[in-house]
Coordinates of all heavy atoms in Angstrom, one line a residue:
Chain R
L302 N -133.3 6.6 -101.6 CA -134.4 5.8 -102.2 C -134.0 4.4 -102.5 O -132.8 4.3 -103.1 CB -135.0 6.5 -103.4 CG -135.8 5.7 -104.3 CD1 -137.2 5.6 -103.5 CD2 -136.0 6.3 -105.6
I303 N -134.7 3.4 -101.9 CA -134.5 2.0 -102.2 C -135.2 1.7 -103.5 O -136.4 1.5 -103.6 CB -134.9 1.1 -101.1 CG1 -134.3 1.6 -99.8 CG2 -134.4 -0.4 -101.4 CD1 -132.8 1.6 -99.8
R304 N -134.4 1.4 -104.7 CA -135.0 1.1 -105.9 C -135.2 -0.3 -106.2 O -136.0 -0.7 -107.1 CB -134.2 1.8 -107.0 CG -134.2 3.3 -107.0 CD -133.6 3.8 -108.2 NE -134.1 3.3 -109.4 CZ -135.1 3.9 -110.0 NH1 -135.8 4.9 -109.6 NH2 -135.7 3.3 -111.2
A305 N -134.4 -1.1 -105.7 CA -134.5 -2.6 -106.0 C -133.9 -3.4 -104.8 O -132.9 -3.1 -104.2 CB -133.8 -2.9 -107.3
V306 N -134.5 -4.6 -104.7 CA -133.9 -5.6 -103.7 C -133.9 -6.9 -104.4 O -134.5 -7.2 -105.3 CB -134.6 -5.7 -102.4 CG1 -134.8 -4.3 -101.7 CG2 -136.1 -6.2 -102.6
E307 N -133.0 -7.8 -103.8 CA -133.0 -9.2 -104.2 C -133.6 -10.0 -103.2 O -133.1 -10.0 -102.1 CB -131.5 -9.6 -104.4 CG -131.3 -11.0 -104.9 CD -129.8 -11.4 -105.1 OE1 -129.0 -10.6 -105.3 OE2 -129.5 -12.7 -105.0
P308 N -134.7 -10.7 -103.5 CA -135.4 -11.6 -102.5 C -134.5 -12.4 -101.7 O -133.7 -13.2 -102.3 CB -136.5 -12.2 -103.3 CG -136.7 -11.5 -104.5 CD -135.2 -10.9 -104.9
L309 N -134.6 -12.6 -100.4 CA -133.8 -13.4 -99.6 C -134.5 -14.3 -98.6 O -134.2 -15.4 -98.6 CB -132.8 -12.5 -98.8 CG -131.8 -13.2 -98.0 CD1 -130.8 -13.9 -98.8 CD2 -131.0 -12.1 -97.0
I310 N -135.5 -13.7 -97.9 CA -136.2 -14.4 -96.9 C -137.7 -14.1 -97.1 O -138.2 -13.0 -97.5 CB -135.9 -14.0 -95.5 CG1 -134.4 -14.3 -95.1 CG2 -136.8 -14.6 -94.5 CD1 -134.0 -13.7 -93.9
G311 N -138.5 -15.2 -97.1 CA -139.9 -15.2 -97.2 C -140.4 -15.0 -98.7 O -141.2 -14.3 -99.1
K312 N -139.6 -15.7 -99.6 CA -139.9 -15.5 -101.0 C -141.3 -16.0 -101.4 O -141.9 -15.4 -102.3 CB -138.8 -16.4 -101.8 CG -137.3 -16.0 -101.7 CD -136.4 -16.9 -102.3 CE -135.0 -16.4 -102.2 NZ -134.1 -17.3 -102.9
N313 N -141.8 -17.0 -100.7 CA -143.2 -17.4 -101.0 C -144.2 -16.3 -100.7 O -145.2 -16.1 -101.4 CB -143.5 -18.7 -100.3 CG -143.4 -18.5 -98.8 OD1 -142.4 -17.9 -98.4 ND2 -144.3 -19.2 -98.1
I314 N -143.9 -15.6 -99.6 CA -144.8 -14.4 -99.2 C -144.7 -13.3 -100.3 O -145.7 -12.8 -100.7 CB -144.4 -13.9 -98.0 CG1 -144.5 -15.1 -96.9 CG2 -145.3 -12.8 -97.6 CD1 -144.0 -14.6 -95.5
M315 N -143.6 -13.1 -100.9 CA -143.4 -12.1 -101.9 C -144.2 -12.5 -103.1 O -144.7 -11.7 -103.8 CB -141.9 -11.9 -102.2 CG -141.1 -11.3 -101.0 SD -139.5 -10.7 -101.5 CE -138.6 -10.8 -100.1
E316 N -144.1 -13.8 -103.4 CA -144.7 -14.2 -104.6 C -146.2 -14.1 -104.5 O -146.8 -13.7 -105.5 CB -144.5 -15.7 -104.8 CG -142.9 -16.1 -105.2 CD -142.7 -17.6 -105.5 OE1 -143.4 -18.4 -104.9 OE2 -141.8 -17.8 -106.3
L317 N -146.8 -14.3 -103.3 CA -148.2 -14.0 -103.2 C -148.6 -12.6 -103.3 O -149.5 -12.2 -103.9 CB -148.7 -14.5 -101.7 CG -148.6 -16.1 -101.5 CD1 -148.9 -16.4 -100.2 CD2 -149.7 -16.7 -102.5
R318 N -147.7 -11.7 -102.7 CA -148.0 -10.3 -102.8 C -147.8 -9.7 -104.3 O -148.7 -8.9 -104.6 CB -146.9 -9.5 -101.9 CG -147.1 -9.6 -100.4 CD -146.0 -9.1 -99.7 NE -146.2 -9.2 -98.3 CZ -145.2 -9.1 -97.4 NH1 -144.0 -9.0 -97.8 NH2 -145.4 -9.4 -96.1
R319 N -146.9 -10.2 -104.9 CA -146.7 -9.8 -106.3 C -147.4 -10.7 -107.4 O -147.5 -10.3 -108.5 CB -145.2 -9.8 -106.6 CG -144.4 -8.8 -105.7 CD -144.6 -7.4 -106.3 NE -143.9 -7.2 -107.6 CZ -144.5 -6.5 -108.7 NH1 -145.6 -6.0 -108.6 NH2 -143.8 -6.5 -109.8
N320 N -147.9 -11.8 -106.9 CA -148.5 -12.7 -107.9 C -147.6 -13.1 -109.1 O -148.1 -13.1 -110.3 CB -149.8 -12.1 -108.3 CG -150.7 -13.1 -109.0 OD1 -150.7 -14.3 -108.7 ND2 -151.6 -12.6 -109.9
M321 N -146.4 -13.3 -108.8 CA -145.5 -13.8 -109.8 C -144.4 -14.6 -109.2 O -144.2 -14.5 -107.9 CB -145.0 -12.7 -110.7 CG -144.0 -11.7 -109.9 SD -143.3 -10.7 -111.1 CE -144.6 -9.6 -111.4
S322 N -143.6 -15.5 -109.8 CA -142.5 -16.1 -109.3 C -141.3 -15.3 -109.0 O -141.0 -14.2 -109.6 CB -142.0 -17.2 -110.4 OG -140.7 -17.7 -109.9
V323 N -140.5 -15.7 -107.9 CA -139.3 -14.9 -107.5 C -138.2 -15.1 -108.5 O -137.3 -14.4 -108.6 CB -138.7 -15.3 -106.2 CG1 -139.6 -14.8 -105.0 CG2 -138.4 -16.7 -106.1
D324 N -138.5 -16.1 -109.4 CA -137.5 -16.2 -110.5 C -137.6 -15.1 -111.5 O -136.7 -14.9 -112.2 CB -137.8 -17.6 -111.2 CG -137.4 -18.6 -110.3 OD1 -136.6 -18.5 -109.5 OD2 -138.0 -19.8 -110.5
K325 N -138.7 -14.3 -111.5 CA -138.8 -13.2 -112.4 C -138.2 -12.0 -111.8 O -138.6 -11.6 -110.7 CB -140.3 -13.0 -112.8 CG -141.0 -14.2 -113.5 CD -142.3 -13.7 -114.2 CE -142.9 -14.8 -115.0 NZ -142.1 -15.3 -116.1
A326 N -137.3 -11.4 -112.5 CA -136.6 -10.3 -112.0 C -137.6 -9.1 -111.7 O -137.4 -8.3 -110.8 CB -135.5 -9.7 -113.0
A327 N -138.7 -9.1 -112.4 CA -139.7 -8.0 -112.2 C -140.3 -8.0 -110.8 O -141.0 -7.0 -110.4 CB -140.8 -8.0 -113.3
I328 N -140.1 -9.1 -110.1 CA -140.9 -9.2 -108.7 C -140.4 -8.1 -107.8 O -141.1 -7.6 -107.0 CB -140.6 -10.5 -108.1 CG1 -141.6 -10.8 -106.9 CG2 -139.1 -10.7 -107.6 CD1 -141.6 -12.2 -106.4
S329 N -139.1 -7.6 -107.9 CA -138.6 -6.6 -106.9 C -137.7 -5.5 -107.7 O -137.0 -5.0 -107.0 CB -138.0 -7.2 -105.8 OG -136.8 -7.9 -106.3
S330 N -137.9 -5.4 -108.9 CA -137.0 -4.4 -109.7 C -137.9 -3.3 -109.9 O -139.0 -3.2 -110.5 CB -136.5 -5.0 -111.0 OG -137.6 -5.2 -111.9
G331 N -137.3 -2.1 -109.5 CA -138.1 -0.9 -109.6 C -138.7 -0.5 -108.1 O -139.0 -1.4 -107.5
P332 N -138.6 0.7 -107.8 CA -139.0 1.1 -106.4 C -140.4 0.7 -106.0 O -140.7 0.2 -104.9 CB -138.9 2.6 -106.4 CG -138.7 3.0 -107.8 CD -138.2 1.9 -108.6
G333 N -141.4 0.8 -106.9 CA -142.7 0.4 -106.6 C -142.9 -1.1 -106.4 O -143.6 -1.4 -105.5
S334 N -142.3 -1.8 -107.2 CA -142.4 -3.3 -107.1 C -141.6 -3.8 -105.9 O -142.1 -4.7 -105.2 CB -141.8 -4.0 -108.4 OG -142.4 -3.5 -109.5
A335 N -140.4 -3.3 -105.6 CA -139.6 -3.6 -104.4 C -140.4 -3.4 -103.1 O -140.5 -4.3 -102.3 CB -138.3 -3.0 -104.4
A336 N -141.0 -2.3 -103.1 CA -141.7 -2.0 -101.9 C -143.0 -2.9 -101.8 O -143.3 -3.4 -100.6 CB -142.3 -0.5 -101.9
K337 N -143.6 -3.2 -102.8 CA -144.8 -4.1 -102.8 C -144.4 -5.6 -102.3 O -145.0 -6.1 -101.5 CB -145.6 -4.1 -104.0 CG -146.8 -4.8 -104.0 CD -147.6 -4.7 -105.3 CE -149.0 -5.4 -105.1 NZ -149.8 -5.3 -106.4
A338 N -143.2 -5.9 -102.8 CA -142.8 -7.3 -102.5 C -142.6 -7.5 -101.0 O -142.8 -8.5 -100.5 CB -141.5 -7.6 -103.3
L339 N -142.0 -6.4 -100.5 CA -141.7 -6.4 -99.1 C -143.0 -6.0 -98.2 O -142.9 -6.0 -96.9 CB -140.5 -5.4 -98.7 CG -139.2 -5.9 -99.3 CD1 -138.2 -4.8 -99.2 CD2 -138.7 -7.2 -98.6
G340 N -144.1 -5.7 -98.9 CA -145.3 -5.3 -98.2 C -145.4 -4.0 -97.5 O -146.1 -3.7 -96.6
I341 N -144.5 -3.1 -98.1 CA -144.3 -1.8 -97.5 C -145.5 -0.9 -98.1 O -145.8 -0.8 -99.4 CB -143.0 -1.2 -97.9 CG1 -142.0 -1.9 -97.2 CG2 -143.0 0.4 -97.6 CD1 -140.5 -1.5 -97.5
D342 N -146.2 -0.2 -97.2 CA -147.2 0.8 -97.7 C -147.2 2.0 -96.8 O -146.3 2.1 -96.0 CB -148.6 0.2 -97.8 CG -149.1 -0.3 -96.5 OD1 -148.6 0.2 -95.4 OD2 -150.0 -1.2 -96.4
Q343 N -148.2 2.9 -96.9 CA -148.2 4.1 -96.2 C -148.0 3.9 -94.7 O -147.5 4.8 -94.0 CB -149.5 4.9 -96.4 CG -149.6 5.5 -97.8 CD -148.7 6.7 -98.0 OE1 -147.5 6.5 -98.1 NE2 -149.1 7.9 -97.8
S344 N -148.5 2.8 -94.2 CA -148.5 2.6 -92.8 C -147.0 2.5 -92.2 O -146.7 2.6 -91.0 CB -149.3 1.4 -92.3 OG -148.6 0.2 -92.8
F345 N -146.0 2.3 -93.1 CA -144.6 2.3 -92.8 C -144.0 3.6 -92.7 O -142.8 3.8 -92.3 CB -143.8 1.4 -93.6 CG -144.1 -0.1 -93.4 CD1 -145.2 -0.8 -93.8 CD2 -143.1 -0.8 -92.5 CE1 -145.4 -2.1 -93.4 CE2 -143.4 -2.0 -92.3 CZ -144.6 -2.8 -92.7
N346 N -144.6 4.6 -93.1 CA -144.0 6.0 -93.1 C -143.7 6.5 -91.7 O -144.4 6.2 -90.7 CB -145.0 7.1 -93.7 CG -144.4 8.4 -93.8 OD1 -143.2 8.5 -94.3 ND2 -145.1 9.4 -93.8
K347 N -142.6 7.0 -91.6 CA -142.1 7.6 -90.3 C -141.8 6.6 -89.1 O -142.2 6.8 -88.0 CB -143.1 8.7 -89.8 CG -142.5 9.9 -89.2 CD -143.4 11.1 -89.1 CE -142.7 12.3 -88.6 NZ -143.6 13.5 -88.6
K348 N -141.4 5.4 -89.5 CA -141.0 4.4 -88.5 C -139.6 4.4 -88.3 O -138.7 4.5 -89.2 CB -141.4 3.0 -89.0 CG -142.9 2.8 -89.3 CD -143.6 2.4 -88.1 CE -145.0 1.9 -88.5 NZ -145.9 1.8 -87.3
D349 N -139.1 4.2 -87.0 CA -137.7 4.1 -86.8 C -137.2 2.7 -87.3 O -137.9 1.8 -87.2 CB -137.4 4.2 -85.3 CG -137.4 5.5 -84.7 OD1 -137.1 6.4 -85.6 OD2 -137.6 5.7 -83.5
L350 N -136.0 2.7 -88.0 CA -135.5 1.5 -88.6 C -134.8 0.6 -87.6 O -134.1 -0.3 -88.0 CB -134.6 1.9 -89.8 CG -135.2 2.6 -90.9 CD1 -134.3 3.0 -92.0 CD2 -136.3 1.6 -91.6
D351 N -135.0 0.8 -86.3 CA -134.4 -0.2 -85.4 C -135.6 -0.8 -84.6 O -135.4 -1.4 -83.5 CB -133.4 0.5 -84.4 CG -134.1 1.4 -83.5 OD1 -135.3 1.9 -83.7 OD2 -133.5 1.9 -82.5
G352 N -136.8 -0.7 -85.2 CA -138.0 -1.2 -84.5 C -138.3 -2.7 -84.9 O -137.3 -3.4 -85.4
N353 N -139.5 -3.2 -84.6 CA -139.8 -4.6 -84.9 C -140.6 -4.8 -86.2 O -141.1 -5.9 -86.5 CB -140.5 -5.1 -83.7 CG -139.7 -5.2 -82.5 OD1 -138.5 -5.5 -82.6 ND2 -140.2 -4.8 -81.3
E354 N -140.9 -3.6 -86.9 CA -141.7 -3.8 -88.1 C -140.9 -3.8 -89.4 O -141.2 -4.3 -90.3 CB -142.8 -2.6 -88.1 CG -143.8 -2.8 -86.9 CD -144.5 -1.5 -86.8 OE1 -143.8 -0.6 -86.1 OE2 -145.6 -1.4 -87.0
I355 N -139.9 -2.9 -89.3 CA -139.0 -2.7 -90.4 C -137.6 -2.3 -89.9 O -137.4 -1.5 -89.1 CB -139.5 -1.6 -91.4 CG1 -138.7 -1.4 -92.7 CG2 -139.8 -0.3 -90.7 CD1 -139.3 -0.7 -93.8
W356 N -136.6 -3.0 -90.5 CA -135.3 -2.7 -90.1 C -134.3 -3.2 -91.1 O -134.6 -3.9 -92.1 CB -135.0 -3.3 -88.7 CG -134.9 -4.8 -88.7 CD1 -133.8 -5.6 -88.9 CD2 -136.0 -5.7 -88.5 NE1 -134.2 -7.0 -88.8 CE2 -135.5 -7.0 -88.6 CE3 -137.4 -5.5 -88.4 CZ2 -136.4 -8.1 -88.5 CZ3 -138.2 -6.6 -88.4 CH2 -137.7 -8.0 -88.4
I357 N -133.0 -2.9 -90.9 CA -131.9 -3.1 -91.9 C -130.8 -3.9 -91.1 O -130.4 -3.4 -90.1 CB -131.4 -2.0 -92.6 CG1 -132.5 -1.4 -93.5 CG2 -130.2 -2.4 -93.6 CD1 -132.1 0.0 -94.2
E358 N -130.4 -5.0 -91.7 CA -129.2 -5.7 -91.1 C -128.0 -5.8 -92.0 O -128.1 -5.6 -93.3 CB -129.6 -7.2 -90.8 CG -130.7 -7.3 -89.8 CD -131.0 -8.7 -89.3 OE1 -130.3 -9.6 -89.9 OE2 -132.0 -9.0 -88.6
D359 N -126.8 -5.9 -91.4 CA -125.6 -6.0 -92.1 C -125.2 -7.5 -92.1 O -124.9 -8.0 -91.1 CB -124.5 -5.2 -91.5 CG -123.2 -5.2 -92.2 OD1 -123.1 -6.0 -93.3 OD2 -122.3 -4.4 -91.9
H360 N -125.3 -8.1 -93.2 CA -125.0 -9.5 -93.3 C -123.5 -9.7 -93.9 O -123.1 -10.8 -94.3 CB -125.9 -10.3 -94.2 CG -127.2 -10.6 -93.5 ND1 -128.1 -11.5 -93.9 CD2 -127.9 -10.0 -92.6 CE1 -129.1 -11.6 -93.1 NE2 -129.0 -10.6 -92.3
G361 N -122.7 -8.7 -93.8 CA -121.3 -8.7 -94.3 C -121.1 -8.8 -95.8 O -120.1 -9.1 -96.2
I362 N -122.2 -8.6 -96.5 CA -122.2 -8.6 -98.0 C -121.4 -7.3 -98.5 O -121.9 -6.3 -98.2 CB -123.5 -8.7 -98.6 CG1 -124.2 -10.0 -98.2 CG2 -123.4 -8.7 -100.2 CD1 -125.6 -10.1 -98.5
R363 N -120.4 -7.6 -99.2 CA -119.6 -6.4 -99.7 C -119.4 -6.6 -101.2 O -119.2 -7.7 -101.7 CB -118.3 -6.3 -99.1 CG -118.3 -5.9 -97.6 CD -118.7 -4.4 -97.4 NE -118.7 -4.1 -95.9 CZ -119.6 -4.4 -95.0 NH1 -120.8 -5.1 -95.4 NH2 -119.5 -4.1 -93.7
Y364 N -119.5 -5.5 -101.9 CA -119.3 -5.6 -103.4 C -118.1 -4.8 -103.7 O -117.9 -3.8 -103.2 CB -120.5 -5.0 -104.2 CG -121.8 -5.8 -103.9 CD1 -122.8 -5.2 -103.1 CD2 -122.1 -7.0 -104.6 CE1 -124.0 -5.8 -102.9 CE2 -123.2 -7.7 -104.3 CZ -124.3 -7.1 -103.5 OH -125.3 -7.8 -103.3
P365 N -117.2 -5.3 -104.5 CA -116.0 -4.6 -104.9 C -116.5 -3.3 -105.6 O -117.5 -3.3 -106.4 CB -115.2 -5.6 -105.9 CG -116.2 -6.6 -106.3 CD -117.2 -6.6 -105.2
S366 N -115.7 -2.2 -105.6 CA -116.0 -1.0 -106.0 C -116.2 -1.0 -107.6 O -117.0 -0.3 -108.2 CB -115.0 0.2 -105.7 OG -113.8 -0.3 -106.1
D367 N -115.5 -2.0 -108.2 CA -115.7 -2.1 -109.6 C -117.1 -2.6 -110.0 O -117.5 -2.4 -111.2 CB -114.7 -3.2 -110.2 CG -113.3 -2.6 -110.2 OD1 -113.2 -1.4 -110.2 OD2 -112.3 -3.3 -110.5
D368 N -117.8 -3.2 -109.1 CA -119.1 -3.7 -109.3 C -120.3 -2.8 -108.9 O -121.4 -3.1 -109.1 CB -119.4 -5.1 -108.6 CG -118.6 -6.3 -109.2 OD1 -118.0 -5.9 -110.4 OD2 -118.4 -7.3 -108.7
I369 N -119.8 -1.7 -108.5 CA -120.9 -0.6 -108.1 C -120.9 0.4 -109.1 O -119.9 1.1 -109.4 CB -120.6 0.0 -106.7 CG1 -120.7 -1.1 -105.7 CG2 -121.6 1.1 -106.5 CD1 -120.4 -0.5 -104.3
I370 N -122.0 0.5 -109.9 CA -122.1 1.4 -111.1 C -122.8 2.7 -110.6 O -123.7 2.6 -109.8 CB -122.9 0.8 -112.1 CG1 -122.3 -0.6 -112.4 CG2 -122.9 1.6 -113.4 CD1 -121.0 -0.7 -113.1
K371 N -122.3 3.8 -111.1 CA -123.0 5.1 -110.7 C -123.4 5.8 -112.0 O -122.6 6.0 -112.9 CB -121.8 6.0 -110.1 CG -121.2 5.5 -108.9 CD -119.9 6.4 -108.4 CE -119.2 5.6 -107.4 NZ -118.0 6.4 -106.9
V372 N -124.7 6.1 -112.0 CA -125.3 6.7 -113.2 C -126.2 7.7 -112.8 O -126.7 7.8 -111.6 CB -126.0 5.6 -114.0 CG1 -125.1 4.6 -114.6 CG2 -127.1 4.9 -113.2
P373 N -126.7 8.6 -113.8 CA -127.9 9.6 -113.4 C -129.0 8.9 -112.8 O -129.3 7.8 -113.2 CB -128.0 10.3 -114.7 CG -126.7 10.0 -115.5 CD -126.2 8.7 -115.0
R374 N -129.8 9.6 -112.1 CA -131.0 9.1 -111.5 C -132.2 9.0 -112.6 O -132.1 9.5 -113.7 CB -131.5 10.0 -110.3 CG -130.5 9.9 -109.2 CD -130.8 10.8 -108.1 NE -130.6 12.2 -108.6 CZ -130.8 13.2 -107.8 NH1 -131.2 13.0 -106.5 NH2 -130.6 14.4 -108.4
I375 N -133.1 8.3 -112.2 CA -134.2 7.9 -113.1 C -135.5 8.7 -112.7 O -135.8 9.0 -111.6 CB -134.6 6.4 -112.9 CG1 -133.4 5.5 -113.1 CG2 -135.8 6.1 -113.8 CD1 -132.9 5.4 -114.5
G376 N -136.2 9.2 -113.8 CA -137.5 9.8 -113.6 C -137.5 11.1 -112.9 O -138.5 11.6 -112.3
V377 N -136.3 11.8 -113.0 CA -136.3 13.1 -112.4 C -135.9 14.1 -113.4 O -135.2 15.2 -113.1 CB -135.4 13.1 -111.2 CG1 -136.0 12.3 -110.1 CG2 -134.0 12.7 -111.5
A378 N -136.2 14.0 -114.6 CA -135.7 15.0 -115.8 C -136.2 16.3 -115.4 O -135.5 17.3 -115.8 CB -136.3 14.5 -117.1
Y379 N -137.3 16.5 -114.7 CA -137.7 17.8 -114.4 C -136.8 18.7 -113.5 O -136.9 19.8 -113.4 CB -139.2 17.8 -113.7 CG -139.1 17.1 -112.4 CD1 -138.8 17.8 -111.2 CD2 -139.3 15.7 -112.3 CE1 -138.7 17.1 -110.0 CE2 -139.2 15.0 -111.1 CZ -138.9 15.8 -109.9 OH -138.8 15.1 -108.6
A380 N -135.8 17.9 -112.9 CA -134.9 18.6 -112.0 C -133.8 19.3 -112.7 O -132.9 19.8 -112.1 CB -134.4 17.6 -111.0
Q381 N -133.9 19.3 -114.0 CA -132.9 20.0 -114.9 C -131.5 19.5 -114.6 O -131.2 18.4 -114.8 CB -133.1 21.6 -114.6 CG -134.5 22.0 -115.0 CD -134.7 23.4 -114.6 OE1 -133.8 24.3 -114.8 NE2 -135.9 23.8 -114.1
E382 N -130.6 20.5 -114.3 CA -129.1 20.1 -114.2 C -128.9 19.1 -113.1 O -128.0 18.2 -113.3 CB -128.2 21.3 -114.0 CG -128.4 22.0 -112.6 CD -129.5 23.0 -112.7 OE1 -130.3 23.1 -113.5 OE2 -129.4 23.9 -111.7
D383 N -129.7 19.1 -112.0 CA -129.5 18.0 -111.0 C -129.8 16.6 -111.5 O -129.4 15.7 -110.9 CB -130.4 18.4 -109.8 CG -129.8 19.6 -109.1 OD1 -128.7 19.9 -109.3 OD2 -130.5 20.2 -108.2
A384 N -130.7 16.5 -112.6 CA -131.0 15.2 -113.1 C -129.8 14.5 -113.7 O -129.8 13.3 -113.9 CB -132.0 15.3 -114.2
L385 N -128.7 15.3 -114.0 CA -127.6 14.6 -114.6 C -126.6 14.1 -113.7 O -125.6 13.3 -113.9 CB -126.8 15.7 -115.4 CG -127.7 16.2 -116.6 CD1 -126.9 17.3 -117.4 CD2 -128.0 15.0 -117.6
L386 N -126.8 14.4 -112.2 CA -125.8 14.0 -111.3 C -125.9 12.5 -111.0 O -126.9 11.8 -111.1 CB -126.2 14.7 -110.0 CG -126.0 16.2 -109.9 CD1 -126.7 16.7 -108.7 CD2 -124.5 16.5 -110.0
P387 N -124.6 11.8 -111.0 CA -124.5 10.3 -110.9 C -124.9 9.9 -109.6 O -124.0 9.4 -108.8 CB -123.1 10.1 -111.4 CG -122.4 11.3 -110.9 CD -123.4 12.4 -111.1
W388 N -126.1 10.1 -109.1 CA -126.4 9.6 -107.8 C -127.3 8.5 -107.7 O -128.1 8.2 -106.7 CB -127.0 10.8 -107.1 CG -126.1 12.0 -106.8 CD1 -124.7 11.9 -106.8 CD2 -126.3 13.2 -106.2 NE1 -124.1 13.1 -106.5 CE2 -125.1 13.8 -106.0 CE3 -127.5 13.9 -105.8 CZ2 -125.1 15.2 -105.6 CZ3 -127.5 15.2 -105.4 CH2 -126.2 15.8 -105.3
R389 N -127.4 7.7 -108.7 CA -128.1 6.3 -108.6 C -126.8 5.3 -108.6 O -126.0 5.3 -109.4 CB -128.9 6.1 -109.9 CG -129.5 4.8 -110.1 CD -130.4 4.7 -111.3 NE -130.8 3.3 -111.5 CZ -130.6 2.6 -112.7 NH1 -130.1 3.1 -113.7 NH2 -131.1 1.5 -112.8
F390 N -127.1 4.3 -107.7 CA -126.1 3.3 -107.5 C -126.7 2.0 -107.6 O -127.7 1.8 -107.1 CB -125.4 3.5 -106.1 CG -124.8 4.8 -105.8 CD1 -125.7 5.7 -105.1 CD2 -123.6 5.2 -106.3 CE1 -125.2 6.9 -104.9 CE2 -123.1 6.5 -106.0 CZ -123.9 7.4 -105.3
F391 N -126.0 1.1 -108.4 CA -126.6 -0.3 -108.3 C -125.4 -1.3 -108.5 O -124.3 -1.0 -108.9 CB -127.6 -0.4 -109.5 CG -127.1 -0.4 -111.0 CD1 -126.5 -1.4 -111.6 CD2 -127.2 0.9 -111.5 CE1 -126.1 -1.2 -112.9 CE2 -126.8 1.1 -112.8 CZ -126.3 0.0 -113.5
V392 N -125.8 -2.5 -108.2 CA -124.8 -3.6 -108.3 C -124.7 -4.2 -109.8 O -125.8 -4.6 -110.3 CB -125.2 -4.8 -107.3 CG1 -124.2 -5.9 -107.4 CG2 -125.2 -4.2 -105.9

Side-chain angles (χ1 to χ4, degrees):
Chain R
L302 169 69
I303 306 301
R304 291 188 54 88
V306 300
E307 178 178 338
L309 182 67
I310 296 173
K312 293 179 182 178
N313 58 325
I314 300 170
M315 296 191 204
E316 290 185 333
L317 289 172
R318 287 175 184 153
R319 293 282 294 142
N320 195 29
M321 67 171 73
S322 165
V323 290
D324 293 332
K325 294 196 179 298
I328 194 169
S329 61
S330 69
S334 304
K337 188 171 182 184
L339 291 168
I341 292 170
D342 63 22
Q343 284 293 78
S344 67
F345 281 85
N346 190 34
K347 220 166 187 173
K348 300 268 187 202
D349 279 338
L350 293 176
D351 67 348
N353 295 318
E354 295 159 289
I355 182 165
W356 67 94
I357 298 176
E358 292 185 6
D359 186 351
H360 283 206
I362 300 170
R363 295 286 184 278
Y364 298 106
S366 56
D367 285 350
D368 287 348
I369 297 179
I370 311 292
K371 306 172 188 178
V372 294
R374 291 173 294 182
I375 304 293
V377 293
Y379 63 87
Q381 301 173 39
E382 71 270 19
D383 287 346
L385 301 175
L386 295 166
W388 287 352
R389 172 180 174 232
F390 306 96
F391 65 87
V392 178

